[in-house]
């Protein structure tokens, strides 16, 4: 090959390469042009280099200098286009991560089974017209005991059966024998407190449920935990009867636990209901106590300013954990509060 042929081939090629780099308008077309002109295996530069061997030795120096100039110019044009298309640094066109690596699966949380149960219970009771009511978890003895007809000497008020809180009192008020009931506070031991709070602020007819935490100093075992949840129900109107109570609980149990649930009332005693019953559901052929219920005691109506001659009502309190455990076949309440994801992620 003659020197002049070689030089004009280089001129043409250089022009084509510069045009291709300048008109490349994305990283893909630039990369394509780079492979075509500068590619180490099949690029045009490679072909030209091969032709050097066919040039007369006396012309090789000139040819070599032109080739070097070609490389520098074409490379500079490429670098410029690369900077124009995607930031100046050399690696910006290369992927910055390995897209073939498996991803890191994000850990999705979900609603705790007890919260799921609470939502479900609210939904079922809501369909029967019961509205949700709330009360504080730190209570005073009036709402936790007195208004519920639980007198001062009742064993349910024993400090060993309740979480009483140290009350802030000024030094002048404090005496060693002081058990001033007025200032005392405790973590509520039952959601029956909400009955009082609702009746203090509303007049009949009343149809509410309250779902929330209660606290008792029990040692944890398969069926006890110092913190648990109750569903309290209260229905006050004229002519409310125990038949209404049984129907509501039966409809509730059927909806929540399934069509085969049997329910049983056993005579019992609670200070705030008269008559009172224990409510049992059949569980694997055994009757299990799920809570208590009864007709609201006239003394309770009097403490909230209702006339017991005019209104009547029923109330009930069921254990939320027991309901949840019965529905899902859970046998140990402690599992619900273990934070063991192998257990919790099943729900
Ligand atoms: N408060 C009772 C308890 O914690 C449960 C209970 C019994 C609630 C009878 C009621 C009721 O509303 O009428 O053991």
């Amino acid at each position: 090959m003659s020197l002049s042929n070689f030089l004009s081939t280089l001129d043409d090629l250089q022009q084509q390469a510069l045009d291709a780099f300048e008109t490349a308008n994305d990283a893909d077309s630039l990369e394509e042009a780079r492979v075509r002109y500068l590619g180490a295996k099949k690029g045009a530069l490679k072909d030209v280099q091969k032709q050097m061997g066919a040039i007369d030795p006396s012309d090789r120096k000139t040819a070599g200098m032109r080739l070097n100039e070609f490389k520098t110019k074409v490379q500079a044009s490429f670098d410029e286009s690369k900077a124009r298309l995607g930031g100046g640094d050399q690696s910006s066109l290369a992927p910055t991560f390995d897209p073939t690596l498996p991803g890191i699966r994000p850990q999705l949380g979900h609603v705790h089974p007890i919260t799921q149960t609470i939502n479900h219970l609210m939904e079922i009771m809501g369909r029967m017209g019961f509205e949700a009511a709330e009360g504080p978890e730190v209570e005073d003895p009036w709402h936790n005991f007195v208004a519920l007809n639980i007198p001062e000497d009742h064993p349910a008020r024993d400090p060993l059966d309740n979480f009483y809180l140290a009350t802030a009192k000024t030094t002048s008020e404090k005496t060693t024998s002081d058990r001033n009931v007025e200032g005392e506070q405790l973590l509520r031991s039952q959601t029956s407190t909400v009955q009082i709070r609702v009746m203090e602020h509303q007049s009949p007819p009343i149809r509410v449920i309250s779902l929330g935490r209660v606290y008792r100093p029990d040692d944890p075992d398969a069926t006890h935990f110092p913190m648990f949840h109750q569903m309290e129900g209260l229905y006050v109107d004229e002519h409310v009867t125990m038949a209404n109570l049984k129907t509501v609980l039966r409809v509730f149990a059927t909806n929540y636990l399934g069509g085969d649930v049997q329910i049983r009332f056993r005579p019992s005693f609670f200070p705030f209901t008269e008559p009172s019953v224990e409510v049992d559901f059949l569980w694997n052929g055994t009757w299990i106590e799920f809570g208590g219920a009864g007709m609201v005691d006239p003394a309770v109506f009097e403490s909230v300013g209702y006339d017991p001659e005019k209104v009547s009502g029923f109330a009930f309190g069921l254990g939320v954990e027991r309901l949840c455990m019965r529905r899902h076949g859970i046998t140990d309440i402690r599992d619900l509060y273990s934070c063991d994801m192998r257990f919790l992620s099943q729900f």
Side-chain angles (χ1 to χ4, degrees), residues 216-227 332-335 337:
R216 292 178 196 174
D218 289 330
D219 288 333
D221 63 24
T223 53
H224 294 87
F225 208 73
M227 184 279 302
D332 195 322
I333 189 175
R334 290 167 295 189
D335 288 336
Y337 298 112

Side-chain angles (χ1 to χ4, degrees), residues 148 150 189-193 195 214 216 228 230-234 245 269-279 289-296 314-318:
L148 287 165
I150 304 175
S189 60
Q190 50 186 354
T191 44
S192 306
T193 54
Q195 292 184 33
V214 298
R216 292 178 196 174
F228 59 101
Q230 289 185 329
M231 173 167 76
E232 192 80 17
L234 175 69
L245 168 64
F269 174 80
F270 297 99
F272 34 90
T273 42
E274 183 58 38
S276 304
V277 292
E278 310 271 352
V279 183
E289 184 194 324
F290 277 78
M295 301 307 292
V296 178
F314 66 71
F316 61 85
L318 303 179

